[in-house]
Amino acid sequence: MENISFAILCSLIGCIGTIMTMSRNKQKDTKDEVEGITKINQEIKYVSKGVDDIKYNVRDITKNLNDMNERLIRVEESCKSAHKRIDGIEKENV
């Protein structure tokens, strides 16, 4: 009878130890998952800020290109007008 009681007691202690170990490992896994998710979220925020910076830079570049395009149009018109005046002066001198 004592052998059976001792065997049952050892089995119960083993089961309790196994349950405690599983519980502790589950908590550790959960903690590791939370840390991993937090790290991923931080990296996503960092990338998002980088994308926002790129968007602002592209807007500035687009604005600069539009400004330069307007200036180029004015310069071409001015050049055309200057050529007409030069042609007029050359005709007078001939």
Side-chain angles (χ1 to χ4, degrees):
M1 194 75 156
E2 289 180 21
N3 288 338
I4 294 174
S5 298
F6 182 71
I8 292 174
L9 180 63
C10 286
S11 295
L12 287 174
I13 290 173
C15 287
I16 291 172
T18 302
I19 291 171
M20 290 175 63
T21 302
M22 287 175 57
S23 175
R24 193 174 314 137
N25 285 342
K26 185 176 180 181
Q27 289 175 351
K28 183 180 178 190
D29 290 345
T30 303
K31 182 180 176 184
D32 290 343
E33 287 175 5
V34 168
E35 288 175 358
I37 291 171
T38 303
K39 185 176 179 182
I40 290 171
N41 283 340
Q42 289 173 348
E43 290 175 2
I44 288 173
K45 287 180 184 178
Y46 178 75
V47 170
S48 177
K49 285 182 182 180
V51 169
D52 288 342
D53 290 343
I54 291 170
K55 283 181 183 178
Y56 293 132
N57 288 340
V58 167
R59 284 183 193 156
D60 288 343
I61 291 170
T62 302
K63 184 179 180 280
N64 288 341
L65 284 174
N66 288 336
D67 292 344
M68 290 179 81
N69 191 30
E70 289 177 18
R71 290 178 63 195
L72 178 64
I73 291 170
R74 288 187 203 128
V75 167
E76 287 176 343
E77 289 172 353
S78 177
C79 184
K80 194 177 197 181
S81 174
H83 278 289
K84 284 182 181 179
R85 284 180 281 176
I86 292 172
D87 289 343
I89 292 173
E90 286 179 353
K91 286 181 182 178
E92 288 177 7
N93 290 336
V94 175

